[in-house]
Amino acid sequence: MPKKRVGALEKVDADLPNLQYKIRRDPKSYSEDFLNQYGQYKSQRDIFMASPSTATSAGIVSFRDLIDFVAHVADCFPEDTAEFPEDLKSILTSYHAELESELREKIVGSLVLLRRKEIIDSANLLNTLFPILVATPSKTLRSLLFSKILSDLRTSNSKSTNHRLNRTMQTALFNLLSSDKTSQKGIWAVKITRELWKRQIWTDAKAVEIMKEASLADNEKVIGGGVRFFLGGDKEREELDDESSDEEIVDIGKLKHQHGINKKTKKKTKTLERAVEKVKKHEKKKKAPHPLNFSALHLLHDPQGFAEQLFSKHLQNTKSKLNLDQKLLVLQLVSRLIGLHKLTVISLYSYFIKYLTPRQPSVTSFLASLAQATHSLVPPDALEPLVQKIANEFVSEASASEVASAGLNAIREICVRQPLAMNDTLLQDLVMYRKSKDKGTMMAAKGLLSLYREVGADMLKKRDRGKTATMGLKSGSIKDRRFGEEEAGGIEGLELLEEWKENERKRKRVERGLPEEVGSDEEEDDEQDWDAWDVESDASSDSGGWINVESDGEIEISDSEDDKPAVKKAKTQASKSEAEAKDSNEKTELEKEEQKISKLATTKILTPADLAKLQELRLEASLSKAMGGNKVQTARQKELLARHADDALTAEQIEGFSKLRKSTKEERVALAREGKGDRSEHKSTQALRRDKKDSEGKSSTNKEKSRKKNFMMTLGKAKFKQKRSLVQTKRVLQGHVERSKRGGKRGNIGM
Amino acid sequence: MGSSARKKKEKKKDFQKVKLKVGKTKAKPDNFTDTSFKAKSIVVNQQSLSTSAPTSSAQFEHYLSLASSSRSDTQRRDALAYLTSRLSSRPVNEPLPLPTSILLPKLAPLILDGTASVRTQLLKFLRLLPSSDIGDRAEAMLLYIRAGMTHLAVDIRTDALSVMEWMLEVAPEDVVACPGGWVKTLKCFMSMMGWALSIGTTKWTAATKVSFGKAGKTFPRQLMVLAQFLRAGLVEPHALPPTASRQALFPLTDVNIHMIPTSSNAYAHLNLFGTPRDEEGEMYVDREGRQRVFNKLFQTAVEKGIENAKKEAGEPGRAGAVLAKVLKDGMGDFNGVDDTL
């Protein structure tokens, strides 16, 4: 008798994975087995439904395994398993609290699996999971659901934005927040929205609207979440974007080479293919246009109403339950909104009054918020008492130096935004602190002084005004600004860019041996410009890092040259003609207006590279202007100038040099060590430098060579000193005298 | 040399006598191994200690819980054996130590037990239960029986069939009339014997029993149980009251219809309070309803299956003939008019 063939399933009882594998390979042949198992699933489900809390799946085939099995092969038998997803959903929705955790997780996982197999759609899945996320008391289930919901939203938005799904989800979140303002459940809406915002999946106004609703909720956690989103959500998004963009990139050439040499296997071929795909994807991503994302603060629908509501609900309201930190956050947001959108919330300024004392905890944050809330359209009457109070409370000889410098910095930041908030007696008083012995106070006072030299030199004492300001006042080019006056004009620094482009073009033409004048081949140049579309391209490789500072800081010196910006020339011309006659003045004024608005922006499209260059030039110009004759620039000055008007003001910036809290020793040591590189063993700087050069494979200097030379070989040269001629001796002595004057070999330039 | 002095010192250190100090614990030797450990829970082998022997009812309960929830299969089997012996050895009129309503839900999951000896022992135990109590629990029992009948393991399927047989012997009316008892169970039979058709299948003739079931031995048995089941559901019990007696008791004709029902939850088929049922889960209380559903859903498949079974001859053929006879008895008077739709 021949040996009986034994089926695999008969050998091993209850081998669901095996059956699953077979079904996946050949669904039709195994449909009967599947139906049996599906029947088994149904009867187990009935058992479970009869008593959900007590049903244990202790048998050799548990309910859990069956669910898993059916979910995995459901796509092979769509008609038979039509009710399966509904079953799972109803089980999960009605019994999620009493289900045992493993079964619960399995059901959630199976639903997600069914979604991946596109048996159910995303909206269906999310509509099931989200209510449970909000309702369940179990922490593990919550975190599981949260991650599943997020990943599902991400996948369904990965190829193209799924607007419908996003809209339904956003509506659900919004309803969750608006239905019950006091409940803590809204935190999930905040979390989901923030995460999706961070990943740039939701970038529209609706998401911002959700967060706005959250900020106006009654629960502290929800409020905190919403407010934090507005304050930090965009930064987080940028950071993530940067992170993802500088992933490590594989060297494809190396891989291909290795593949050519090593043994060829399927696996290795596959890895190579995958690597190539990855690189291609990366390239594509790099080439893709940068998504134009507006910040959350800009997408707000009604900022004025929002700011007013926030202020009246959380800050002015005495019954508000927020603690100081949370209040500060809200205050930051309100002031940020006011500063950014130039809103008018007059009662906010009087609210500040009682917090402006040095004893107030985290007063620098209050000061920063106040400065942030100031803009050119705030009536000076509202600000003047505040400035006065800061000056009285903070800036005095008796107060600690940190306090004084914080106060001065705060006043400066307020006055940058609204120069009219200052009166001349107070200003002259404050400016006197520039003689202070404390560095922080001194710097702060100097900052204030330099600010008013620009914006209101006539308020300063005559001797404080400085050369440029005095000359400007005399010639009339500096006029005092009225309240509400706006400067007309186009893009700041555009004329600089135009000039730079002109120079570049000339340079290129000279390189090619052509005359400097622009010929008919202008088109060609433009094409090159388009090649240099990207910021990273060679044309603007010097855009990052160092900024060229003209060795002669006075920009006026080069005024005589003819490739100066047309604007300046026009200005000076205008000032001359002003002295001559009044009617001609009118005419030149018109001319000035015409010339001022450069043609560049209206005739050409600016590439990202152009914009980067523009920013760089703008910074450079403002730096050289601010420094005047002084060549030394500080990082602080640079940072001050580079700061965008939209950026938030932080308490650290108010604290300035002298921090109110003392730094710990570790911090100081770290600060001192910063930038010195790690010094593993004790060696002289020279030796370290030598080692570095050796490791780079560079050669030694002649001096080093001579030092290493055999002593006996140098004897002959040493004798030369005696044989020197008079001229040679003189040269040596002169050199010595010069060196000592200079202060050493390298000179003491910096001091 | 310094190093040699140091080495000497190190060598000497190995043999130095450790000084004992008053008030200090004795120094641990070098080769001391820390054998202490921490545990989150303590497991006590003997859970309770008492001087008096447990009462017989307490012991019964103990073994019942062992049988239903012990991890070890021998323990389960032995506990079941104990329970069986307790039931069989009790005096004739003495009631059960625990009512059936407690025993059955606890032991029903054992139908799906992985160990064969436990299942056979369970069947022995079930046969000892008073038959009058079973009918009310038929629905709960059927849940497990159906799960057993479609189980992946062949042995469990066969044993579930035996339990089914026993149920049909004890409470045939309740088995076919309880919610889901008719359609769902029939579906189970269909899929078990490979007569079910997938909704989505094409006209392919799938090779029956590719891997499911040892057709040779169990198939006739399945046929027999199905025949029994159909007989319970379709064939009218022929104990019709003679018409003469009706006239004798003239004013009291059909009196038992108007009396208070004897069964519990007599109006269950109206499903006044439960969740709405679908066709599968519906109760089919009367014979006509069962016939109608059977005709609608299963008859063709069963007839086809019988044809094939008859062709096989031998034991399956004989069983097929029995089934065919039952089918003829049950469906003979069905008029075939579907008046429900």
Side-chain angles (χ1 to χ4, degrees), chain A residues 280-404:
Chain A
K280 267 186 190 162
K281 213 174 177 185
H282 193 84
E283 288 291 310
K284 209 174 161 191
K285 210 171 158 194
K286 233 167 64 178
K287 287 272 164 59
H290 185 71
L292 185 64
N293 285 332
F294 291 104
S295 80
L297 292 171
H298 283 105
L299 283 174
L300 268 176
H301 179 235
D302 173 21
Q304 172 78 38
F306 183 39
E308 272 172 13
Q309 267 178 306
L310 271 180
F311 177 61
S312 61
K313 185 164 186 184
H314 299 317
L315 299 174
Q316 232 175 4
N317 184 7
T318 46
K319 279 172 196 152
S320 138
K321 276 180 280 182
L322 302 181
N323 61 26
L324 182 68
D325 284 344
Q326 289 160 335
K327 272 191 179 170
L328 268 175
L329 277 179
V330 176
L331 186 62
Q332 256 176 35
L333 177 57
V334 172
S335 60
R336 192 78 207 287
L337 282 170
I338 292 175
L340 193 66
H341 293 281
K342 300 208 170 177
L343 310 174
T344 315
V345 185
I346 293 296
S347 47
L348 175 75
Y349 303 101
S350 53
Y351 167 80
F352 270 111
I353 282 253
K354 70 174 172 185
Y355 295 104
L356 296 179
T357 62
R359 299 220 171 277
Q360 168 70 33
S362 54
V363 68
T364 46
S365 295
F366 277 103
L367 289 172
S369 297
L370 172 57
Q372 243 183 160
T374 315
H375 55 84
S376 61
L377 296 180
V378 179
D381 306 347
L383 289 173
E384 220 162 333
L386 292 172
V387 172
Q388 192 71 49
K389 171 138 193 198
I390 297 174
N392 290 345
E393 294 268 358
F394 287 78
V395 192
S396 75
E397 289 293 351
S399 62
S401 60
E402 297 93 350
V403 175

Side-chain angles (χ1 to χ4, degrees), chain A residues 136-324:
Chain A
T136 182
S138 152
K139 197 175 175 183
T140 49
L141 182 61
R142 274 199 306 257
S143 59
L144 177 77
L145 288 173
F146 183 62
S147 65
K148 294 287 184 204
I149 287 176
L150 273 185
S151 69
D152 186 57
L153 278 170
R154 281 178 68 186
T155 46
S156 43
N157 277 305
S158 61
K159 286 204 180 100
S160 62
T161 319
N162 188 343
H163 287 291
R164 243 182 95 208
L165 177 71
N166 287 347
R167 218 176 311 129
T168 49
M169 194 66 197
Q170 281 163 348
T171 316
L173 295 183
F174 189 84
N175 288 342
L176 176 72
L177 278 168
S178 55
S179 60
D180 187 5
K181 291 210 163 200
T182 49
S183 81
Q184 209 178 342
K185 287 172 183 173
I187 199 74
W188 291 105
V190 174
K191 275 190 174 180
I192 290 175
T193 312
R194 179 153 195 174
E195 193 66 28
L196 292 171
W197 184 268
K198 191 171 106 181
R199 300 191 181 281
Q200 307 201 14
I201 294 165
W202 287 0
T203 52
D204 50 349
K206 193 89 192 262
V208 176
E209 202 69 7
I210 292 173
M211 289 315 228
K212 182 178 161 184
E213 192 69 21
S215 312
L216 293 174
D218 287 329
N219 185 285
E220 296 99 57
K221 278 196 169 175
V222 181
I223 296 169
V227 171
R228 278 207 179 82
F229 167 77
F230 281 110
L231 292 175
D234 294 305
K235 203 164 191 182
E236 204 179 52
R237 182 169 73 175
E238 274 168 30
E239 273 163 14
L240 189 83
D241 203 26
D242 292 346
E243 242 169 62
S244 60
S245 64
D246 50 44
E247 281 169 352
E248 98 283 15
I249 190 84
V250 278
D251 185 4
I252 206 72
K254 194 176 161 192
L255 277 181
K256 270 186 181 159
H257 176 70
Q258 277 177 351
H259 186 69
I261 289 166
N262 291 346
K263 189 181 172 190
K264 276 125 198 114
T265 61
K266 253 187 200 169
K267 191 183 172 191
K268 279 179 185 166
T269 323
K270 231 173 232 172
T271 36
L272 181 69
E273 271 167 17
R274 231 175 289 144
V276 169
E277 206 164 287
K278 196 179 167 192
V279 168
K280 267 186 190 162
K281 213 174 177 185
H282 193 84
E283 288 291 310
K284 209 174 161 191
K285 210 171 158 194
K286 233 167 64 178
K287 287 272 164 59
H290 185 71
L292 185 64
N293 285 332
F294 291 104
S295 80
L297 292 171
H298 283 105
L299 283 174
L300 268 176
H301 179 235
D302 173 21
Q304 172 78 38
F306 183 39
E308 272 172 13
Q309 267 178 306
L310 271 180
F311 177 61
S312 61
K313 185 164 186 184
H314 299 317
L315 299 174
Q316 232 175 4
N317 184 7
T318 46
K319 279 172 196 152
S320 138
K321 276 180 280 182
L322 302 181
N323 61 26
L324 182 68

